[in-house]
Amino acid sequence: IGKQGYEDMIQDWKSASSSSASSTLSSDVNGGVNSKTNRKRKKFGNVGSCLNQYSTWNKNDDHTCFTLYKTLMLCYEIIKQKACQEVAAEQKGQIPKDGHSNLPSFFENFFFRSHGVGKLAKRELRKFVISLKYWHDKDRRAELFAVVTGVSRPDIYSVALGDFFMRMIKRFFEGEEKSIAEHLGKYDFRSKISNYYIPRKIAIKSMIGPGKRMKASTWDAPELVSISSNGAAGVNSDIIEGIEQLEHNSKDMQSLTDIDDVIFLALDFFIGQAVEIQRHLRELFDNLDEDGSGTLNWEEFKKFGESMTKVHRNGDRSLFTDDELLAIYKRANHIEDDGDSELSDSYIVAIACYQAGMYHPPIHFEFEEDHENEDEVK
């Protein structure tokens, strides 16, 4: 990516459909071949992040957005509190079994803690979410927070995306978590400059931890390792080499990098991998449609899911249980019970599978076509 401006980065995100390995998932989710499919896609768009249920005004709301400054300051404060909470839990060895609360849920709970569980909290939450949606295409930082919370681009949102972002933030400000809001608040939304720079070593460590650059097994970055289709080489060429190109010399001749450029560089890679995973899942879905009907029933989807692995938040992998597959099936079909309905929209199926951690088939499944001997497969 080099030194290209923010506008070019965003354009890269939105023009991903020009590549055969990508697709305009945002428009696909909101568009449709017919009204029935369109309604299902539109409804599904509110599932990815819990914040999207607050994306429309109620009749009693004042329909007035927060200023950009207030919107960003709220984001900074919430990010600071989440980072402090996670670091404190990690130091005490009290990390929840299922991991820290996901980023959108923490944003939601922040308003309930601040205003009480009631109409006021929900009204302020709607005001915040709608403000974030309003400002996301007008400001660099607003776009950042809208993407990592699923308010913008809900099709590429996942818990892993928020976890990856928070991991970077904690490493950027290691030992200074209580000052995160202050440091992020140096951002000038008029000039779009962060006014906060970090050395290359810190920038790279924020992505992969203290591990070796070309040895992914040494990284402390489960989200990055899990989603990278081309391993350490891809991360090295797309992110780390990009960081080196973004550097500029400060007055003391130390090579520094703008923190926002580092974050956008990393998220650009992460989102590109997410789009590629969903494209792969759509292809698998279409290949299973042997009769050309364009649909999969529950038994067919179950068979499809049993060949895939689930990537957990800590990077571990396991096979999906029947209950987990049924939950994905219902989510993709937006049904409340088993019923006789069938999956017919590969875009929605791909999004539901991706958000559930269904990234890649098991290794032995990938090589079955090339090796007939069972020992070779193992």
Side-chain angles (χ1 to χ4, degrees), residues 100-296:
H100 299 294
S101 62
N102 65 66
L103 194 55
S105 293
F106 193 90
F107 268 71
E108 182 182 37
N109 291 333
F110 170 85
F111 284 88
F112 290 144
R113 293 195 306 270
S114 302
H115 302 285
V117 182
K119 293 182 178 179
L120 177 60
K122 293 180 179 179
R123 183 168 67 244
E124 290 300 298
L125 190 48
R126 285 193 296 271
K127 197 167 187 176
F128 168 75
V129 172
I130 293 172
S131 298
L132 196 55
K133 292 186 71 171
Y134 174 79
W135 292 112
H136 90 275
D137 60 350
K138 301 175 178 63
D139 179 79
R140 179 180 197 177
R141 282 278 179 87
E143 172 72 7
L144 167 63
F145 293 122
V147 168
V148 297
T149 57
V151 171
S152 171
R153 294 294 304 275
D155 52 299
I156 52 85
Y157 164 77
S158 69
V159 173
L161 178 62
D163 289 348
F164 181 50
F165 170 72
M166 285 305 304
R167 191 180 297 275
M168 286 193 292
I169 290 293
K170 287 185 291 184
R171 286 174 174 166
F172 286 143
F173 303 104
E174 187 173 0
E176 298 182 87
E177 291 82 13
K178 293 183 179 180
S179 301
I180 287 178
E182 178 185 348
H183 290 314
L184 292 178
K186 296 176 181 178
Y187 171 72
D188 185 346
F189 57 83
R190 297 177 181 84
S191 62
K192 316 298 183 190
I193 297 175
S194 75
N195 292 312
Y196 192 88
Y197 301 89
I198 55 177
R200 179 203 308 173
K201 185 177 181 179
I202 300 282
I204 296 175
K205 181 181 177 182
S206 72
M207 311 295 168
I208 65 175
K212 298 179 180 180
R213 284 174 51 165
M214 293 304 296
K215 195 172 182 180
S217 61
T218 66
W219 296 356
D220 180 15
E223 305 87 11
L224 200 58
V225 172
S226 298
I227 203 169
S228 179
S229 61
N230 47 7
V235 174
N236 186 69
S237 62
D238 289 1
I239 300 181
I240 296 177
E241 291 180 10
I243 290 175
E244 294 170 352
Q245 295 178 50
L246 289 169
E247 291 178 354
H248 71 277
N249 289 327
S250 62
K251 292 180 180 179
D252 60 1
M253 300 305 293
Q254 183 181 15
S255 293
L256 299 174
T257 305
D258 184 290
I259 188 174
D260 282 15
D261 288 340
V262 174
I263 292 174
F264 274 95
L265 192 63
L267 292 184
D268 186 64
F269 174 83
F270 197 99
I271 290 172
Q273 296 294 303
V275 171
E276 174 64 19
I277 287 171
Q278 292 188 30
R279 182 196 64 80
H280 176 61
L281 289 169
R282 289 199 305 275
E283 287 182 352
L284 291 176
F285 178 92
D286 293 337
N287 290 337
L288 288 173
D289 182 24
E290 296 179 357
D291 60 0
S293 64
T295 63
L296 287 182

Side-chain angles (χ1 to χ4, degrees), residues 49 54 60-61 71 99 140 152 198 263 265 279 312 339 341 361:
S49 166
Y54 304 101
N60 295 325
D61 294 339
T71 302
R140 179 180 197 177
S152 171
I198 55 177
I263 292 174
L265 192 63
R279 182 196 64 80
H312 298 266
S341 56

